[in-house]
Amino acid sequence: MEELHKAAKVAFSTTFAFYLKAHNFHWNVEGSDFLEYHDLFGKIYEEVYGAIDDFAEKIRAMGTYVPASFSRFSMLTLVDDETNILPKEQMVAMLLEDNEKVIKLLKLVFQTSESHNEYGFSDFIAGRIDAHSKHRWMLRASLKSDQNV
Ligand SMILES: [Fe+2]
């Protein structure tokens, strides 16, 4: 069970760091098409933030504590902070790369959860994998140059 608790805490902290980065980019993006990027990052941070409370409470329901401070998050997250203001395309590329890390991690947590018979938690994690797959699609589509279909 300790293995699952640890994996869930890392996935939660990484999800929080991912949320914060999407919100950071929503606030700080600049340039032509500002509104499109501001909205793209907005959609992503709102969706991920909307899952944070449920994620935390599901971890509590498994009988362990939730990391909930900047110091604990930075200790556990696999998604690094961004303190520079990047060009908008780099913001999208970085968030796409981070999103891949989140998906990979969630898949690992899903497998661990299944092996511990925590099916309710697996179900929640499967939903998060789905949501991040949609974020992948939106980020990838935004990076693509214009072409005929
Ligand atoms: Fe906003």
Side-chain angles (χ1 to χ4, degrees):
M1 201 62 175
E2 206 170 299
E3 182 197 17
L4 176 58
H5 289 172
K6 178 80 205 296
K9 288 176 193 193
V10 170
F12 177 72
S13 301
T14 302
T15 298
F16 198 95
F18 178 86
Y19 143 73
L20 185 60
K21 195 181 268 185
H23 211 155
N24 169 359
F25 291 170
H26 168 77
W27 285 325
N28 287 312
V29 69
E30 286 177 322
S32 58
D33 305 328
F34 160 80
L35 211 54
E36 278 175 40
Y37 286 84
H38 178 72
D39 286 350
L40 169 70
F41 297 134
K43 273 196 180 76
I44 294 173
Y45 95 72
E46 280 175 6
E47 191 287 323
V48 179
Y49 187 73
I52 289 288
D53 188 56
D54 209 13
F55 202 157
E57 292 180 1
K58 283 188 161 54
I59 291 175
R60 289 293 291 126
M62 285 195 295
T64 189
Y65 293 101
V66 178
S69 61
F70 287 127
S71 55
R72 287 285 286 145
F73 285 147
S74 65
M75 245 183 264
L76 294 171
T77 180
L78 301 188
V79 164
D80 292 330
D81 243 359
E82 183 52 59
T83 52
N84 295 313
I85 304 297
L86 305 175
K88 62 194 180 205
E89 293 82 8
Q90 278 185 39
M91 287 180 173
V92 176
M94 180 181 277
L95 210 57
L96 179 59
E97 203 177 298
D98 291 341
N99 192 58
E100 293 305 311
K101 291 180 193 167
V102 174
I103 291 173
K104 200 173 162 192
L105 195 53
L106 288 169
K107 286 183 175 173
L108 199 80
V109 174
F110 180 87
Q111 285 163 359
T112 313
S113 184
E114 288 285 280
S115 70
H116 286 83
N117 301 330
E118 288 285 344
Y119 303 119
F121 191 61
S122 305
D123 188 51
F124 171 76
I125 295 296
R128 296 312 306 148
I129 294 169
D130 249 12
H132 282 278
S133 300
K134 191 172 176 185
H135 300 325
R136 171 201 274 153
W137 160 53
M138 290 202 292
L139 289 163
R140 262 196 198 147
S142 305
L143 277 182
K144 205 147 187 184
S145 51
D146 294 337
Q147 59 182 356
N148 295 324
V149 177

